[in-house]
Amino acid sequence: MSILNSIDVAAKYIREGKLVAFPTETVYGLGANALDPMAVAKIFELKERPSFDPLIVHIASIHQLQDLVLNTDERVHKLTEKFWPGPLTMVLPKSNIVPDIVTSGLPTVGIRMPSNEIALDLIRISDCPIAAPSANKFGRISPTTAAHVRKQIPNVDYIIEGGKTTVGIESTIIKLTDKGFQILRNGIITQEELETVVPFDGETAIEKLSAPGMLKSHYSPRKKLLIADSSSLDLDKSKAGLISFSGEVENGFCKVIRVSDRKDLKDYAVNMFEAMHSFEDDNEIELIIAEPVCETGVGRAIMDRLRKAEFNWRQA
Ligand code: TXA
Ligand code: MG
């Protein structure tokens, strides 16, 4: 009798049309066979995600890309060569085999090849592309550990334990135009890095680009979160948790999570969602304060996530 390891079990579930939460290098995904519309429908149901918000399809080989999209020009090859496997999603014209439910009826599909070995093995052994959004309830904090998935989506068919993710925020999403690439969502792969391969088409502001599901509120903790430079804060810190980057003004807070000892923005990205989860779960904390950073390089992706996490609370 053969004993199946967890990836084999998970792959069997995927083939049977069930849902599997699995680690990627960015955040945990809630995956289903991308070519099975009934399985994909369960993702929307379990995540309580509106049907207008399209899913990213995860692949493990360039061969799979060719099946899923209509054509790939030279720029796509250059980008995949440099950034795949890795946290870059490309939105490309879809082929007929991609069900409409995956793309919310759009003629394009978002595709990426993750670099996490468990994710790649899962896709290979399942022998199909895997559609997967982040494995959180719609609008809530993204999961960077299996425990975060269990907290929000306990009733998923299977969760693969893969430790803490190494990037910590979702992939950069781009689309190609005649002039170059546009960024639909900022991530750890920055505009500057992408520009070394393809020109940046920055004529339209990111807020004006059409990426369904890019709402003003997202990544939202259940407790009030404010972006604030803690030195200028005029409020009771005794029940507040500080997500600290500079490490400079930490006095008076109930708890402090320092996201980087070496003041590296990549560490902020890696630890930001985990810090939000930790304060959300902490009975002593009523308010979360997140320290802002400069909006250059990875700072753009960090401030994007923080603003969306803050949005509903600013209105309140
Ligand atoms: O790192 C990631 O990208 C993670 C991991 C699991 O791979 N996935 C992720 O998926 O962040 P999700 O569903 O949370 O975000 C996907 C977003 C959608 O909200 C939408 O804005 C954009 O990708 N997207 C997907 N397909 C698109 C399309 N055809 N056109 C424009 N935007 C698209
Ligand atoms: Mg998400």
Side-chain angles (χ1 to χ4, degrees):
M1 195 178 80
S2 69
I3 298 170
L4 295 177
N5 73 30
S6 64
I7 302 181
D8 287 322
V9 175
K12 183 169 159 287
Y13 275 42
I14 292 279
R15 283 194 299 271
E16 290 170 0
K18 293 182 178 150
L19 301 191
V20 171
F22 63 99
T24 79
E25 72 279 25
T26 59
V27 299
Y28 275 68
L30 180 63
N33 177 352
L35 306 180
D36 177 348
M38 297 295 278
V40 173
K42 289 185 206 160
I43 296 180
F44 285 90
E45 200 183 309
L46 199 58
K47 203 181 139 95
E48 294 164 18
R49 181 181 178 106
S51 58
F52 62 75
D53 192 359
L55 305 179
I56 292 172
V57 175
H58 299 71
I59 58 172
S61 73
I62 290 293
H63 186 70
Q64 283 176 310
L65 174 69
Q66 276 142 12
D67 291 343
L68 296 167
V69 303
L70 286 184
N71 46 47
T72 51
D73 64 34
E74 191 49 39
R75 299 174 303 174
V76 175
H77 295 298
K78 282 189 186 163
L79 288 162
T80 58
E81 247 169 50
K82 178 144 174 132
F83 297 106
W84 279 4
L88 176 69
T89 297
M90 272 188 268
V91 171
L92 297 165
K94 82 171 190 72
S95 74
N96 281 340
I97 69 163
V98 182
D100 285 336
I101 189 168
V102 171
T103 66
S104 302
L106 292 172
T108 52
V109 58
I111 302 194
R112 84 178 189 97
M113 189 189 292
S115 62
N116 179 294
E117 284 302 328
I118 295 176
L120 289 170
D121 279 348
L122 177 68
I123 301 163
R124 282 189 206 112
I125 299 169
S126 304
D127 200 22
C128 62
I130 295 184
S134 49
N136 50 280
K137 290 277 186 197
F138 182 70
R140 304 264 324 275
I141 313 170
S142 302
T144 57
T145 66
H148 296 159
V149 179
R150 267 191 295 278
K151 180 170 107 175
Q152 292 191 33
I153 313 196
N155 47 343
V156 58
D157 296 310
Y158 199 83
I159 302 177
I160 307 180
E161 176 60 66
K164 183 172 161 177
T165 62
T166 53
V167 170
I169 55 171
E170 298 82 351
S171 60
T172 306
I173 304 180
I174 62 165
K175 142 177 154 188
L176 294 169
T177 66
D178 291 344
K179 292 185 187 145
F181 70 91
Q182 293 178 330
I183 296 184
L184 305 182
R185 178 173 72 188
N186 280 299
I188 208 90
I189 295 179
T190 59
Q191 176 192 317
E192 290 76 9
E193 286 173 274
L194 291 160
E195 268 176 309
T196 63
V197 183
V198 171
F200 178 51
D201 174 1
E203 266 174 37
T204 317
I206 189 164
E207 299 77 24
K208 298 238 163 80
L209 292 172
S210 59
M214 291 293 160
L215 307 177
K216 285 186 172 153
S217 171
H218 206 147
Y219 319 111
S220 186
R222 289 252 152 106
K223 288 175 186 164
K224 183 169 189 166
L225 179 145
L226 296 176
I227 304 169
D229 186 340
S230 55
S231 58
S232 63
L233 261 189
D234 182 22
L235 47 82
D236 179 12
K237 298 178 186 170
S238 66
K239 289 185 176 153
L242 173 69
I243 302 178
S244 167
F245 178 66
S246 69
E248 275 156 22
V249 192
E250 298 177 340
N251 285 345
F253 283 92
C254 176
K255 281 183 187 153
V256 176
I257 296 176
R258 200 179 286 181
V259 286
S260 179
D261 286 332
R262 46 181 191 160
K263 295 189 188 165
D264 184 330
L265 286 173
K266 286 192 176 159
D267 294 343
Y268 203 152
V270 172
N271 295 312
M272 151 162 82
F273 286 136
E274 189 180 41
M276 287 186 205
H277 276 289
S278 160
F279 285 145
E280 182 180 69
D281 298 342
D282 189 329
N283 290 334
E284 289 181 67
I285 301 295
E286 288 178 2
L287 169 69
I288 305 167
I289 301 296
E291 194 178 329
V293 293
C294 265
E295 266 174 278
T296 50
V298 179
R300 288 189 205 106
I302 291 165
M303 289 307 291
D304 164 65
R305 305 309 190 274
L306 290 180
R307 283 214 186 86
K308 287 177 176 164
E310 179 192 50
F311 187 79
N312 283 339
W313 298 112
R314 261 293 167 215
Q315 310 298 305

